[in-house]
Amino acid sequence: MSVFIKPASALVLAGAVATAAAMLSTAAGAGPVANDGTKEKCFGISLKGQNDCAAGSHSCAGTSTIDYDGQSFKLVPKGSCVTMKTPTGMGSLEPLKS
């Protein structure tokens, strides 16, 4: 066996691990999973930094700066939004005035 095979194998393995880690971090920061019709936008229920997107108050996923922001939404199972209770009221299918 050549002395170059072990280092080369280690480099290939390290490259594969680095690629997998990069793919995981990209997927985690890519925003919400596409809505396949089983979810709906629910405004006013997300905690600070845990929103899926917004209706104009900031750029998008994970950027809300206050809990239960009425302009930020979170994707939830269809039919469950208006039954979600928060300290500021119920979830809404439309953006709320903050």
Side-chain angles (χ1 to χ4, degrees):
M1 213 183 249
S2 171
V3 282
F4 293 108
I5 291 180
K6 283 187 180 182
S9 296
L11 286 174
V12 169
L13 178 60
V17 169
T19 300
M23 290 175 70
L24 285 174
S25 67
T26 301
V33 176
N35 187 354
D36 61 1
T38 63
K39 297 191 181 278
E40 62 191 3
K41 295 177 184 179
C42 190
F43 293 86
I45 64 162
S46 64
L47 297 177
K48 175 174 54 174
Q50 296 180 8
N51 61 306
D52 286 330
C53 213
S57 61
H58 46 75
S59 61
C60 210
T63 58
S64 64
T65 57
I66 58 174
D67 290 343
Y68 313 112
D69 179 7
Q71 295 293 301
S72 299
F73 71 80
K74 189 134 183 92
L75 290 174
V76 299
K78 200 166 204 159
S80 67
C81 177
V82 295
T83 64
M84 293 184 177
K85 188 174 183 180
T86 72
T88 60
M90 304 299 279
S92 172
L93 297 173
E94 298 293 326
L96 302 167
K97 293 184 180 187
S98 296

